[in-house]
Amino acid sequence: MPEIPALRLLTLFLAAVAGALTDSASGQVSFAFVDSLQSMGDDYSAGVALGDLDGDGDQDAWVANYLGPNDVWINDGLGIFTDSGQTLGTSNSYAVALGDVDGDGDLDSWVANYQGPDRVWINDGDGGFSNSGQTLGGKDLSTAVALGDLDADGDLDAWVANGFGQPDAVWLNDGAGNFTNSGQTLGSSFSYSVALGDLDADGDLDAWVANRDEGNTVWINDGDAGFDDSGQRLGFRASFSVALGDLDADGDLDAWVANYAGDPDLVWVNDGEGAFTDSGQRLGDDYGTSVALGDFDEDGDLDAWVANYLEPNAVWINDGSGSFLDSGRALGDERSFSVALGDLDEDGDLDAWVANDDEPNAVWTNIAQGACCIEGLCVQLQADFCENVGGTYLGGECLEVACPDPEATGACCVGSGCDQLTRAVCDRLGGTWLEEGSCDDCPITCEVDINGDGMVDAADLGLLLGAWGACL
């Protein structure tokens, strides 16, 4: 009897896909990003932040544009985005941060504007935004903003990074979303980015500021939003972005700094008390404009997505000790200014929204995760796809797991066809399973029983008439 090759073809296909997805500098990468092919806007986008803006449980996007109004994009829950149609501001917006600044339970927005006042936009709870009317900073040259409770009073304050030697500013929240300048003069560098975190392990939020062509600076919080310069000058390069995270798994916050103008990115290691040392790694030589940290391969450590302006975006994989390997992925060829990470399609892994300059924004979907055992063969697949093809999802990487021996197979007689399959697969196909049998043991059907149902009837005649004519 003829064999049914479908399952074998599927297995071979999955093996080939797994090889493509796991080919990398490290030999094994249990993730892959694909362009969702959405074309979102055609503006001069400089920043993006993700959050649940309309209260439906998925991640939406606020995009800051520097030549045109800001945009809010609404997620349908599957990672497909629709423009909300709102026209939000007319300033040169360089960055945006989301947070509940007025304490009403939804996400509001602080937009950092260049050569104009920053603005706070208040959410109505359904993703509709209105200008709070505050003029924050006059004609400041704002390039970045980060929100956090800087004075430990339970609400979100703001650190704004400014360019061209203008001091950075700290704005304090009254709890209702009204902000007052703290009056501090914080540096005189060309600041491009700021990240907040407890760098010296004293329970309050400190600040790392990335400066262009000057040393990066670390500012230490006294607990009441008073900041002192730590005196560190970290890397004299064209720094455009910084992200904080525990990169070496020692319990404190380290820093990845994305550098522009062909300078390599740097990783700075924290001693636990807020003093940083160059890790010695020189990561790429691109025009890095933004970096975001997240666990792409679900191995428990933080990897890095770097948005580049004149080169494809890059993904760097952490070995768990803070040493990074290039994944070999070349993601897009746009002029990228910013990246934000989130589970956009609600499948349990991190996807990426990339804001591009004078080109549509892009969403990159993470499509592969974890070891999946299919009849003794291990491939890297998402959990839901693994289950859909009859596999067993184990997670982790194939090099680190052992798939159990496949179930016993027997002859599966399906109509006039046969193959060696497991009992479960044969049952799903509606066949008759013969344990330890061969296809020669399948019952012989009539030659004219075209559909193999054991009867010669009108159904067979219909199939014959439908195929009447010359064989092509």
Side-chain angles (χ1 to χ4, degrees):
M1 283 191 164
E3 291 190 341
I4 305 169
L7 186 65
R8 295 179 184 177
L9 288 175
L10 175 62
T11 302
L12 291 173
F13 168 74
L14 291 174
V17 169
L21 297 182
T22 58
D23 184 17
S24 73
S26 64
Q28 187 79 193
V29 177
S30 56
F31 69 92
F33 287 95
V34 295
D35 190 342
S36 69
L37 301 180
Q38 299 176 73
S39 181
M40 290 165 296
D42 194 11
D43 301 311
Y44 294 83
S45 299
V48 59
L50 300 176
D52 183 9
L53 301 179
D54 56 359
D56 64 352
D58 53 41
Q59 301 284 297
D60 310 301
W62 181 299
V63 178
N65 298 312
Y66 69 90
L67 288 177
N70 291 202
D71 301 315
V72 166
W73 294 83
I74 301 300
N75 191 346
D76 69 355
L78 300 175
I80 306 300
F81 290 84
T82 303
D83 188 345
S84 69
Q86 300 175 75
T87 300
L88 301 167
T90 57
S91 303
N92 293 328
S93 300
Y94 267 45
V96 58
L98 301 176
D100 183 10
V101 300
D102 57 359
D104 65 350
D106 53 41
L107 293 177
D108 310 300
S109 174
W110 180 301
V111 177
N113 295 316
Y114 195 77
Q115 296 179 321
D118 291 7
R119 298 294 186 186
V120 168
W121 296 83
I122 301 300
N123 192 343
D124 65 4
D126 294 320
F129 289 85
S130 58
N131 192 336
S132 69
Q134 300 175 75
T135 300
L136 302 166
K139 291 188 177 296
D140 287 351
L141 305 174
S142 300
T143 55
V145 59
L147 299 178
D149 186 6
L150 302 179
D151 54 2
D153 64 351
D155 54 42
L156 293 177
D157 311 301
W159 181 299
V160 177
N162 295 312
F164 285 103
Q166 190 176 76
D168 291 5
V170 165
W171 295 82
L172 299 179
N173 191 347
D174 68 358
N178 301 305
F179 290 85
T180 304
N181 194 326
S182 69
Q184 299 175 77
T185 300
L186 301 166
S188 59
S189 302
F190 194 133
S191 301
Y192 254 117
S193 179
V194 59
L196 303 176
D198 184 8
L199 302 179
D200 55 359
D202 65 350
D204 53 40
L205 293 178
D206 311 300
W208 179 299
V209 178
N211 298 313
R212 180 174 179 176
D213 299 324
E214 301 177 71
N216 289 204
T217 50
V218 170
W219 295 83
I220 300 302
N221 192 343
D222 65 5
D224 294 318
F227 288 86
D228 295 315
D229 188 345
S230 70
Q232 301 175 77
R233 297 296 179 267
L234 303 167
F236 289 81
R237 300 177 184 272
S239 299
F240 263 52
S241 180
V242 60
L244 300 176
D246 185 7
L247 302 179
D248 55 3
D250 65 350
D252 54 42
L253 294 177
D254 311 299
W256 180 301
V257 177
N259 294 312
Y260 197 71
D263 285 338
D265 291 5
L266 302 181
V267 166
W268 296 86
V269 178
N270 193 345
D271 67 356
E273 298 179 352
F276 290 84
T277 305
D278 186 347
S279 69
Q281 301 175 75
R282 298 296 179 265
L283 302 165
D285 55 1
D286 303 314
Y287 287 72
T289 53
S290 179
V291 59
L293 303 176
D295 185 7
F296 300 132
D297 51 5
E298 290 193 334
D299 62 353
D301 53 43
L302 293 176
D303 312 303
W305 181 300
V306 177
N308 295 311
Y309 191 75
L310 296 175
E311 302 285 344
N313 289 205
V315 170
W316 296 82
I317 302 303
N318 193 344
D319 69 358
S321 67
S323 295
F324 289 84
L325 295 172
D326 188 346
S327 70
R329 308 279 189 257
L331 301 167
D333 56 2
E334 295 86 2
R335 295 186 293 270
S336 299
F337 253 143
S338 182
V339 60
L341 304 176
D343 184 9
L344 301 180
D345 53 4
E346 298 189 326
D347 64 350
D349 53 43
L350 289 177
D351 312 299
W353 180 300
V354 178
N356 295 315
D357 179 21
D358 196 22
E359 297 178 87
N361 288 204
V363 166
W364 292 84
T365 303
N366 191 345
I367 65 167
Q369 293 280 356
C372 174
C373 295
I374 304 174
E375 295 198 354
L377 173 69
C378 186
V379 292
Q380 300 290 156
L381 294 176
Q382 287 180 302
D384 54 353
F385 187 64
C386 176
E387 295 168 359
N388 288 341
V389 298
T392 301
Y393 185 78
L394 301 179
E397 298 183 356
C398 284
L399 292 180
E400 300 173 351
V401 303
C403 288
D405 292 334
E407 298 178 42
T409 60
C412 179
C413 309
V414 182
S416 58
C418 176
D419 198 1
Q420 293 290 324
L421 302 175
T422 66
R423 177 66 177 268
V425 173
C426 187
D427 288 345
R428 286 202 295 272
L429 294 175
T432 300
W433 191 68
L434 305 176
E435 185 175 5
E436 298 182 357
S438 71
C439 286
D440 292 336
D441 299 326
C442 288
I444 299 175
T445 60
C446 301
E447 293 183 2
V448 291
D449 181 12
I450 298 174
N451 62 7
D453 63 356
M455 296 288 293
V456 179
D457 52 22
D460 301 300
L461 179 59
L463 291 172
L464 177 61
L465 293 176
W468 195 272
C471 293
L472 302 178

